[in-house]
C-alpha cells in the first residue's frame, strides 16, 4: 500500500483534472516482463561476478531507485528502534537471503528452473499461513491446490526418473529462496502491520538494511574483482534498477489501484516469461516436463489463493 496524499483544494468552478497514468493492464504486463527477465539477468550477472557481488549490486541499484522516488515524493524513512529492528529481519528474509540464494542456485541450474521454483512461493505461503496465521482457515479447495502444486514441482524435477540430471544443491537453494519470501511476509504481517509509514518508506528502509547486510558479508566471502566485465555489470545494474527498484514502484501503484489480490497475479506470469527468455536468449534446454509441471504448479498456486465467501 502506498502513501495517500490529500488532494489540493480547488474552486467548484474549476475542478482539478485527474492526472493521467498508464493503464494498469500495461503496467501489469511491464511488471511481469521485468520480474520474468530477472532470472536471466541473474544468470548473466553471475557469469562475470560472484553471487554475493551480484546481489550487492542488485540491492545498491534498487535502493538508489527507491531513494530517488522517496526524494521526489518527499517521503521520510521510518522512525523508531522497534520498527528498524523488525525491518532488519525483514530485509534478511525478503531481500538479502532469497536474492543471494537465487544467485548461487543459478551457478548450477538453468534460469528457467529458478523461475519455476520462484512460483512455488504461494504454495509455501499457504502451508505456512495455516500454521502461523489463525485467520487463514484451510478449505478443501486450498488444500487440494497445495497438493496439486507440489505435484507440479515433482513433475518439473522429473521425480519418475529419479531426478536424473538434476543439480540437487542448486534446486534446493532456489526452493529455499522461494520459501524465504512467505516467511518474511508473515513476519512483516505479525510485526509491522500498522506502523503509520507508507509502503515506499518501509521498503526503502528495508532495502537499505539489506544493502548494508550484503556490504558486510560480501567482502568476507569474495575478493574484489580484478576486472569488470561489461555485460554482466550491465545485467546486474538492470537487475537492481529495473528488477528491484522500478518493479517495486510499479507494484505499489498496482496494489493501490486494483488491490493486492489482482496485483499478486503477476506471480503466475513470471515463470512463463522466465522460461521463454531462458530458452530463446540463453539457449537453455527445455523438456516436456518443464512447461507441463510449471502449468500444474501455477494451477495449484492459484487454488491456494482461493477465498471462500464470507
Amino acid at each position: 500500500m502506498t502513501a495517500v496524499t490529500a488532494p489540493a483544494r480547488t474552486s467548484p468552478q474549476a475542478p482539478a483534472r485527474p492526472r493521467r497514468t498508464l493503464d494498469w493492464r500495461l503496467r501489469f504486463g511491464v511488471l511481469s516482463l521485468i520480474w520474468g527477465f530477472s532470472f536471466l539477468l541473474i544468470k548473466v550477472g553471475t557469469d562475470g561476478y560472484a553471487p554475493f557481488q551480484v546481489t550487492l549490486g542488485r540491492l545498491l541499484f534498487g535502493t538508489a531507485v527507491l531513494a530517488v522516488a522517496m526524494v521526489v515524493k518527499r517521503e521520510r524513512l521510518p522512525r523508531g528502534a522497534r520498527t528498524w529492528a523488525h525491518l532488519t529481519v525483514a530485509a534478511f528474509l525478503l531481500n538479502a537471503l532469497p536474492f543471494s540464494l537465487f544467485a548461487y542456485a543459478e551457478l548450477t541450474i538453468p534460469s528457467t528452473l529458478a523461475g519455476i521454483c520462484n512460483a512455488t512461493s504461494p504454495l509455501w505461503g499457504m502451508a505456512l499461513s495455516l500454521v502461523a496465521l489463525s485467520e487463514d482457515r484451510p478449505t478443501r479447495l486450498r488444500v487440494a491446490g497445495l497438493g496439486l502444486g507440489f505435484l507440479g514441482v515433482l513433475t518439473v524435477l522429473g521425480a519418475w526418473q529419479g531426478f536424473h540430471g538434476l543439480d540437487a544443491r542448486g534446486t534446493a537453494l532456489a526452493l529455499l529462496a522461494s520459501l524465504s519470501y512467505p516467511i518474511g511476509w508473515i513476519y512483516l504481517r505479525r510485526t509491522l502491520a500498522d506502523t503509520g509509514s507508507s509502503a515506499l518508506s518501509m521498503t526503502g528502509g528495508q532495502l537499505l538494511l539489506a544493502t548494508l547486510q550484503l556490504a558486510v558479508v560480501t567482502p568476507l566471502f569474495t575478493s574484489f574483482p580484478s576486472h569488470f566485465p561489461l555485460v554482466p555489470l550491465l545485467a546486474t545494474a538492470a537487475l537492481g534498477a529495473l528488477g528491484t527498484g522500478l518493479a517495486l514502484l510499479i507494484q505499489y501503484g498496482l496494489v493501490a489501484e486494483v488491490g493486492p489480490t489482482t496485483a499478486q497475479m503477476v506471480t503466475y506470469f513470471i515463470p512463463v516469461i522466465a522460461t521463454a527468455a531462458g530458452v530463446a536468449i540463453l539457449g537453455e534446454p527445455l523438456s516436456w516436463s518443464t512447461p507441463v509441471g510449471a502449468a500444474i504448479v501455477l494451477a495449484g498456486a492459484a487454488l491456494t489463493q482461493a477465498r471462500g465467501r464470507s
Side-chain angles (χ1 to χ4, degrees):
M1 182 179 296
T2 56
V4 179
T5 56
R9 295 182 178 179
T10 57
S11 64
Q13 292 78 12
R17 297 180 63 182
R19 182 169 59 89
R20 295 178 63 87
T21 59
L22 195 65
D23 185 85
W24 74 267
R25 297 170 186 84
L26 293 177
R27 285 178 280 139
F28 184 96
V30 170
L31 182 60
S32 301
L33 286 172
I34 290 175
W35 273 340
F37 270 86
S38 292
F39 296 94
L40 180 148
L41 295 175
I42 292 173
K43 192 74 170 180
V44 176
T46 53
D47 283 342
Y49 301 96
F52 275 140
Q53 293 170 347
V54 172
T55 303
L56 176 58
R58 175 181 187 174
L59 289 168
L60 279 171
F61 284 104
T63 302
V65 171
L66 288 188
V68 171
M70 290 179 64
V71 171
V72 171
K73 294 178 177 291
R74 297 182 179 180
E75 294 269 2
R76 293 183 177 181
L77 288 171
R79 297 180 179 179
R82 174 185 174 277
T83 297
W84 281 99
H86 288 311
L87 278 179
T88 300
V89 178
F92 175 75
L93 292 173
L94 290 171
N95 303 115
L97 179 61
F99 291 0
S100 299
L101 288 176
F102 272 124
Y104 271 100
E106 292 199 39
L107 290 177
T108 55
I109 67 172
S111 65
T112 54
L113 180 55
I116 294 171
C117 288
N118 180 76
T120 64
S121 281
L123 304 177
W124 297 118
M126 185 265 186
L128 291 170
S129 67
L130 296 180
V131 177
L133 300 174
S134 59
E135 64 268 27
D136 277 348
R137 301 298 181 183
T139 64
R140 292 181 179 178
L141 188 62
R142 299 181 72 194
V143 173
L146 185 63
L148 182 64
F150 285 111
L151 176 63
V153 173
L154 294 177
T155 303
V156 171
L157 302 182
W160 68 93
Q161 297 175 335
F163 306 105
H164 177 69
L166 179 72
D167 184 82
R169 178 177 175 274
T171 305
L173 291 177
L175 290 173
L176 284 174
S178 69
L179 172 62
S180 181
Y181 288 124
I183 294 176
W185 284 117
I186 290 174
Y187 179 84
L188 274 180
R189 187 170 171 179
R190 282 184 170 274
T191 60
L192 294 172
D194 187 16
T195 63
S197 299
S198 70
L200 176 58
S201 173
M202 294 289 286
T203 307
Q206 180 181 305
L207 282 186
L208 175 61
L209 288 169
T211 303
L212 294 176
Q213 290 170 2
L214 261 295
V216 172
V217 170
T218 301
L220 299 178
F221 294 93
T222 65
S223 57
F224 193 79
S226 58
H227 63 289
F228 295 87
L230 180 60
V231 173
L233 181 60
L234 293 176
T236 301
L239 180 64
L242 301 179
T244 304
L246 179 62
L248 288 174
L249 293 178
I250 296 175
Q251 186 189 37
Y252 295 149
L254 288 175
V255 171
E257 184 172 345
V258 300
T261 301
T262 300
Q264 75 178 3
M265 292 295 289
V266 71
T267 303
Y268 309 129
F269 292 86
I270 293 174
V272 178
I273 297 170
T275 300
V279 172
I281 299 176
L282 298 180
E284 295 177 342
L286 182 68
S287 63
W288 69 267
S289 60
T290 299
V292 171
I296 297 173
V297 168
L298 296 179
L303 289 178
T304 63
Q305 303 306 303
R307 291 288 188 271
R309 294 183 179 180
S310 57

